[in-house]
Amino acid sequence: MEFIINKECFYKAISDVSHAVSIKTPIPILSGIKIVANDDCLTLLGSNSDIVIEKTIPLTIDGVKELEVHEKGTVVLSAKYLSEIVKKLSDVIHVKLNENQSVTIKSNEIVMNLKGLRSGEYPNLPQIDGACYFNIPSAELLEIIKQTAFAVSKSETRPSLTGVNLSIKENSLSCVATNSHRLALRELPLESKVNGSFIVPSKSLNELTKLINDEAGIIHIFITKNYIVFKSNNISLFSRLIEGNYPNVSGLLPKELKTIITLDTKTLLRGIDRAYLFASEWKNNNVHLEILDNSKLRISSNSTELGKIEETQSIKSIRGDAGLSISLDGSFLLDALKAIKEKEVKLSFGGPMRPVLIEPSDNSSYRHLISPVRTY
């Protein structure tokens, strides 16, 4: 194996696949990055058994020559030291695999040797030939992740709740995350022959957001029995699916609403953010909401140690019972409001001890449900 590559291009690929590498793995080969040199590209792989990231570097990018492959081959190199070495080198890097599995790395007058591992010990990629798949624009996929993944459970006692449930039925994609105290739901029309329900680890989805951007184009999503694969032009993320059944959440959305109010999203977000400063963590981060005079929303919180805060905001519209008073977890409220990009937000209440439905005022494709908390 021998190739010459642009330093920045090589370093970016190493950084991308390193997201999947665990330095403290009990399997030594997985602390490394697998490098495969072919005639027309260089492929890098990082894995921790649960996630695999594959990055392909073509010979030219946007018409600029970035890579020359002089000899095909493959080797596994320490992710930690490869990253540090390449980071400290200059523009062009010459890499050559020697007979003893060591690799010579040259850049100008700098010469380094790094011991490699035999690539035959590296786990094979999950097979996706013949797997069912669907396509989604990267901007929409990133938005879906942003609006749902934060609501998963952090506790491993119920593994299924640590992931986002992707459900595809009748050309519609439904994505749900919940930790039993809040629920985030995003729906999207989708042309697809795929039908089924899959639980994707939130960690995998969060890693994906670091690898692609709004301009990545169409993302091809493949589903196998145990894996989901996200593929763009030059990078792929393979993730194990979480086994088990996801709870049926359709019945949780409130059908009887006593009060519906509309407010300015950014103004409400800033108000909740201020109130959250005084919310006591041991009291579930209580932020109290109360409707005043059919036209104002009072936002308040207090802490025995710090003090208290109170402000009122104008309600743009109100329907139903105006005598509402409820306490919610301020951190949950902030997460929900930050995920709404629309100018106005609608809060729907079923009563003081019923979950609150939060959604953009003119878009029901994204909904968030938060259970109230007691004030004592």
Side-chain angles (χ1 to χ4, degrees):
M1 180 185 78
E2 184 177 2
F3 59 89
I4 298 172
I5 190 168
N6 173 279
K7 176 260 181 88
E8 295 300 331
C9 183
F10 195 29
Y11 183 68
K12 177 66 167 64
I14 292 167
S15 298
D16 284 345
V17 301
S18 291
H19 285 291
V21 177
S22 175
I23 303 301
K24 297 181 179 180
T25 176
I27 308 172
I29 196 77
L30 292 184
S31 66
I33 292 173
K34 182 179 180 181
I35 302 174
V36 182
N38 294 308
D39 290 330
D40 59 347
C41 67
L42 189 73
T43 300
L44 281 70
L45 290 124
S47 173
N48 63 7
S49 295
D50 292 324
I51 299 176
V52 183
I53 297 175
E54 178 186 52
K55 180 72 177 278
T56 300
I57 304 172
L59 301 180
T60 60
I61 299 175
D62 297 329
V64 178
K65 192 170 185 178
E66 303 285 2
L67 171 70
E68 293 179 18
V69 177
H70 295 284
E71 184 178 346
K72 295 191 295 183
T74 179
V75 71
V76 177
L77 297 174
S78 163
K80 177 182 177 181
Y81 290 105
L82 180 63
S83 177
E84 288 299 318
I85 288 170
V86 172
K87 181 180 180 180
K88 292 174 171 60
L89 297 179
S90 54
D91 290 343
V92 178
I93 297 173
H94 184 178
V95 179
K96 180 177 174 59
L97 176 64
N98 307 309
E99 291 184 358
N100 60 356
Q101 286 296 306
S102 72
V103 170
T104 301
I105 302 173
K106 297 181 182 179
S107 181
N108 292 333
E109 302 302 315
I110 305 166
V111 180
M112 298 185 184
N113 280 286
L114 185 61
K115 289 185 178 181
L117 299 169
R118 295 190 180 277
S119 58
E121 300 174 16
Y122 202 85
N124 294 324
L125 281 174
Q127 292 299 308
I128 59 172
D129 295 338
C132 57
Y133 72 96
F134 61 95
N135 302 325
I136 185 170
S138 59
E140 291 189 348
L141 177 59
L142 288 171
E143 186 175 80
I144 285 171
I145 296 171
K146 176 185 175 182
Q147 293 179 328
T148 57
F150 65 83
V152 303
S153 174
K154 304 299 188 290
S155 171
E156 296 290 339
T157 55
R158 294 183 66 184
S160 62
L161 297 189
T162 64
V164 176
N165 181 226
L166 273 59
S167 179
I168 307 172
K169 185 178 181 182
E170 298 175 353
N171 289 324
S172 177
L173 172 64
S174 173
C175 301
V176 178
T178 183
N179 65 356
S180 298
H181 302 288
R182 64 173 171 185
L183 180 147
L185 167 65
R186 173 66 194 274
E187 295 172 317
L188 183 74
L190 185 75
E191 290 187 15
S192 170
K193 295 181 180 178
V194 178
N195 283 288
S197 179
F198 322 95
I199 308 173
V200 185
S202 61
K203 291 180 181 178
S204 301
L205 294 174
N206 290 330
E207 289 298 341
L208 184 64
T209 64
K210 301 172 186 175
L211 301 174
I212 63 174
N213 56 38
D214 290 353
E215 300 174 357
I218 298 298
I219 306 298
H220 310 284
I221 302 178
F222 296 80
I223 308 285
T224 70
K225 182 179 179 181
N226 299 311
Y227 277 87
I228 186 168
V229 184
F230 302 88
K231 293 181 75 74
S232 71
N233 289 333
N234 60 2
I235 196 159
S236 302
L237 184 146
F238 298 71
S239 169
R240 286 188 187 275
L241 294 168
I242 297 175
E243 296 181 359
N245 296 317
Y246 203 80
N248 183 2
V249 300
S250 59
L252 299 177
L253 296 172
K255 296 177 176 59
E256 294 184 9
L257 299 170
K258 295 182 178 180
T259 309
I260 301 173
I261 61 174
T262 303
L263 302 109
D264 181 88
T265 306
K266 288 184 178 179
T267 303
L268 179 60
L269 173 60
R270 288 192 289 264
I272 299 299
D273 195 25
R274 285 186 287 267
Y276 183 59
L277 287 171
F278 289 81
S280 298
E281 185 176 347
W282 68 276
K283 283 190 175 182
N284 302 307
N285 302 307
N286 278 8
V287 170
H288 192 68
L289 305 180
E290 185 178 3
I291 296 175
L292 303 175
D293 302 326
N294 254 1
S295 61
K296 299 282 186 180
L297 179 70
R298 179 160 63 190
I299 304 169
S300 62
S301 66
N302 67 81
S303 166
T304 305
E305 299 82 14
L306 299 174
K308 62 181 180 179
I309 186 171
E310 177 180 304
E311 69 177 85
T312 58
Q313 294 185 5
S314 297
I315 295 173
K316 291 184 174 292
S317 67
I318 181 168
R319 282 186 288 156
D321 183 7
L324 179 88
S325 178
I326 193 169
S327 291
L328 299 170
D329 187 312
S331 65
F332 290 177
L333 262 175
L334 285 174
D335 287 340
L337 293 171
K338 286 176 182 177
I340 294 176
K341 60 180 182 179
E342 286 80 2
K343 187 177 179 179
E344 293 184 354
V345 61
K346 182 169 66 176
L347 275 62
S348 302
F349 306 88
M353 291 312 296
R354 302 291 298 171
V356 178
L357 180 63
I358 302 170
E359 57 191 326
S361 63
D362 56 355
N363 180 7
S364 61
S365 67
Y366 172 62
R367 284 167 282 177
H368 197 93
L369 207 61
I370 301 177
S371 294
V373 293
R374 298 187 183 276
T375 55
Y376 57 85

